[in-house]
Amino acid sequence: MSPTTKPSTRGRRTVARHGELKSPHPVAMLMKILGIFVAVVLVSGAGVAAYALTDLTTSFTEDAVDLDGQESVPPDIGAIEGGVNLFVAGTDACEPAYAEYFGDRCTGPDAEGELNDVNMLVHISDAPRRVTVISFPRDLMIPIPSCTAEDGSETPAMSKQPINTAYSYGGLSCVVKTVSALSEQPIPFAAKVTWGGVIEVTNAVGGVDVCLASGIRDYYTGIDWPAGMRNIQGIEALQFLRTRHGVGDGSDLGRVSNQQQYMSRLARKLVSEDVLSDPGALMKLATTAVDNVTPSKSLTNPLTLVQIALAVKNVPFEEIVFLQYPVVTDPNDPNKVVPNYDSAQAIWDALAANQPLQLTGDAGSNESVVVVEPETPVEPTVPDPSAPPVQESIALPSDITGSTAAQETCSNGNLRD
């Protein structure tokens, strides 16, 4: 069977020195992906948090989106039961406050359009809890099902279109429906964040420290940065997330891996004492998230947010895995990619089995990132005699790139003109 026919030792390089990695705070991963407001749950206690979240979600629900064909999980007391999937889309909306940063994108004939350029499926497993984040490249060519457009009309199903056009056919719901069909995974929860929202969230945490293994120069995004650690805020956060010409071989696949470095380091920033020990800072983050995240209606119940937070509260960094959906070059267009269904099936089978993932491929695609050796080795976890036996891991195919949140990666920049 062809890998593109759908079926029924990462390189290490010492670049910089960093301190010992710690396991994430209970809600670190969720804050990063669904909105930082969930942090209030763990800091101020469920009672106060529920009140705060109820107040915040009054405006949060105004633009909430129905997910066509996706059944939501009914809220209950305690952690959400079973495994659950969430989807996060990052879109390139030309919001007036940020349009100047997009150049021709927001002044040309396509200025009114909106594309889902970042697409992440987040899987939270049943106990033992694990979190797997699967990124889908924007140049991935896949079928897009019939969707309900903004005016209520039904768009025709299409056999092959770029994944990042799904939003233009039916908004967030159409993107979720497309990814659900591709992955054959139910997706009851989703959220959309614009690039402007990324700027605001990054600013709200005081910036994110990213690592550049070598200098980055990218004419298209305006980056000309030397190697080393760099605190990015405002427009620099957007430049870093949008750059592809400045890292690896200049491909979109490399950009995805670069974005995963940002997400991992944002998680570390959120678990730092500067953020979690300051209730005022957390409420600021909560307000920022509410103002910049468009959720599915299934995510607007504060109790649901608490359930999800409780489900991931004890997930250690090594069990938070970032993967890139496996692809091969499109035989009809060398600038596009198509799914490698055989390798992708290994991901879905591993998630169904709920066993630890063993990454055999590189940390990033197309030489875009390198793994950094921490200055102080991570101390091994002391075995808990009462804990269940350690599960055997499942080795993913080597063409699936990715890393865990326990690893540190640095952008492998280039100085192209």
Side-chain angles (χ1 to χ4, degrees), residues 203-415:
N203 288 347
V205 298
V208 174
D209 294 323
V210 296
C211 173
L212 310 181
S214 51
I216 292 180
R217 182 180 297 145
D218 182 356
Y219 166 81
Y220 295 93
T221 57
I223 289 179
D224 190 357
W225 300 343
M229 297 299 296
R230 187 182 187 92
N231 181 273
I232 57 173
Q233 301 186 44
I235 181 58
E236 286 197 351
L238 185 59
Q239 290 173 310
F240 183 78
L241 290 168
R242 293 187 68 203
T243 186
R244 67 180 178 87
H245 297 281
V247 293
D249 66 352
S251 68
D252 180 60
L253 301 181
R255 169 164 48 192
V256 171
S257 300
N258 199 54
Q259 291 169 347
Q260 289 177 338
Q261 187 212 157
Y262 168 89
M263 291 188 294
S264 182
R265 291 185 181 275
L266 174 57
R268 293 193 183 101
K269 180 62 178 283
L270 292 170
V271 304
S272 70
E273 292 300 317
D274 292 342
V275 177
L276 288 179
S277 62
D278 187 345
L282 288 172
M283 286 304 297
K284 178 182 178 181
L285 289 170
T287 303
T288 301
V290 167
D291 290 341
N292 292 280
V293 174
T294 301
S296 61
K297 289 185 177 178
S298 55
L299 268 184
T300 57
N301 188 320
L303 185 56
T304 300
L305 299 174
V306 173
Q307 281 187 285
I308 297 172
L310 290 174
V312 300
K313 70 177 184 177
N314 292 320
V315 179
F317 272 142
E318 58 266 24
E319 294 290 1
I320 299 174
V321 182
F322 297 95
L323 303 176
Q324 185 166 159
Y325 184 84
V327 298
V328 295
T329 302
D330 187 343
N332 299 317
D333 185 346
N335 295 315
K336 300 292 184 181
V337 293
V338 293
N340 183 331
Y341 288 111
D342 287 348
S343 291
Q345 189 60 44
I347 298 176
W348 313 132
D349 291 344
L351 297 185
N354 192 16
Q355 291 178 249
L357 300 178
Q358 178 186 347
L359 302 176
T360 65
D362 292 334
S365 289
N366 299 54
E367 302 179 343
S368 56
V369 298
V370 293
V371 176
V372 175
E373 295 283 1
E375 182 177 309
T376 304
V378 179
E379 295 183 4
T381 304
V382 178
D384 180 358
S386 63
V390 177
Q391 291 180 295
E392 182 179 353
S393 62
I394 294 179
L396 295 178
S398 60
D399 64 334
I400 298 177
T401 61
S403 59
T404 73
Q407 295 174 295
E408 293 190 49
T409 60
C410 290
S411 301
N412 191 21
N414 59 59
L415 296 176

